[in-house]
DNA sequence: ATAGAATGGTTTATAAAATAAACCTATTTA
DNA sequence: TAAATAGGTTTATTTTATAAACCATTCTAT
């Protein structure tokens, strides 16, 4: 029952946590939508999405809508699991 | 109802959050006790306690127990308020 | 047709944080 | 009296987060 288990540093980040939270509720979202909802800059978001993808928490698909690039993100099962574990750990800190 | 309000960066840190959490439950604790409970190094803890004190979230008292230095910490009202606000905001990310 | 603004991002640079390593002073113990 | 321990602080290093600059393409207005 060790009180304070380490918090997954990939999730313990305001923007990445917001992204994951958002994707949990919608299951799929476009770059610009995430950007608006999280009120982040494109640069910051781009970097953080990359990290989440490299961790296997997100699947990112690049395609085109008409002639413009389109980046679509969805959470993976691994991402869901990691998020749940993070929340469980976090509860020991905030309750 | 903007979903993701900024999370107080002073609290959104694993070690500082653990310290605050601990102090909320005990109301007063010694440096070494906090160090053990949070499993942190003395150097890291010293730095983080400093930040929390400078923010006005903790009151830190330096004295002696017998001949040895003794650092005692307690949370302030400002600290309690900040913690509560942090938790409220955080809930929007994790629920 | 072409200059300028907008879209949808990525890459690079900078600032801030977290952490560890080294250090310091005094005190006990062998 | 030398070495280990206590109780920390200070400094250096590594990671992160964030912003700024940039890039390619596509619209829009002239």
């Amino acid at each position: 029952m060790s009180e304070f288990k380490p918090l997954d540093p990939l999730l313990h980040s305001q923007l990445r946590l917001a992204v994951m939270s958002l994707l949990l509720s919608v299951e799929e979202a476009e770059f610009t939508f995430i950007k608006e909802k999280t009120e982040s800059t494109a640069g910051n978001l781009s970097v953080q999405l990359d990290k989440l993808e490299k961790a296997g928490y997100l699947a990112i698909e690049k395609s085109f809508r008409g002639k413009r690039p389109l980046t679509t993100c969805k959470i993976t099962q691994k991402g869901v699991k990691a998020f749940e574990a993070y929340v469980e750990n976090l509860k020991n800190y905030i309750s």
Side-chain angles (χ1 to χ4, degrees), chain A:
Chain A
M1 210 192 270
S2 80
E3 290 280 348
F4 303 114
K5 291 184 187 145
L7 299 172
D8 183 345
L10 256 140
L11 294 180
H12 198 64
S13 138
Q14 182 168 319
L15 182 48
R16 288 195 300 270
L17 194 62
V19 168
M20 294 292 283
S21 176
L22 191 56
L23 288 176
L24 267 175
S25 68
V26 301
E27 282 302 316
E28 172 161 319
E30 297 171 13
F31 186 97
T32 53
F33 177 76
I34 299 174
K35 179 173 175 297
E36 277 160 27
K37 282 291 183 182
T38 60
E39 293 172 81
S40 57
T41 61
N44 193 7
L45 182 56
S46 179
V47 170
Q48 307 311 329
L49 288 180
D50 245 51
K51 289 186 187 175
L52 290 171
E53 187 190 25
K54 269 162 192 153
Y57 293 179
L58 294 187
I60 298 183
E61 245 201 52
K62 275 147 204 309
S63 60
F64 285 86
R65 171 161 48 210
K67 304 182 166 173
R68 294 176 171 293
L70 179 67
T71 298
T72 309
C73 309
K74 59 172 63 172
I75 201 167
T76 63
Q77 262 317 299
K78 185 176 180 186
V80 173
K81 283 283 187 317
F83 188 88
E84 284 166 356
Y86 170 79
V87 170
E88 273 322 295
N89 283 176
L90 192 59
K91 281 182 181 164
N92 290 318
Y93 289 74
I94 65 177
S95 66

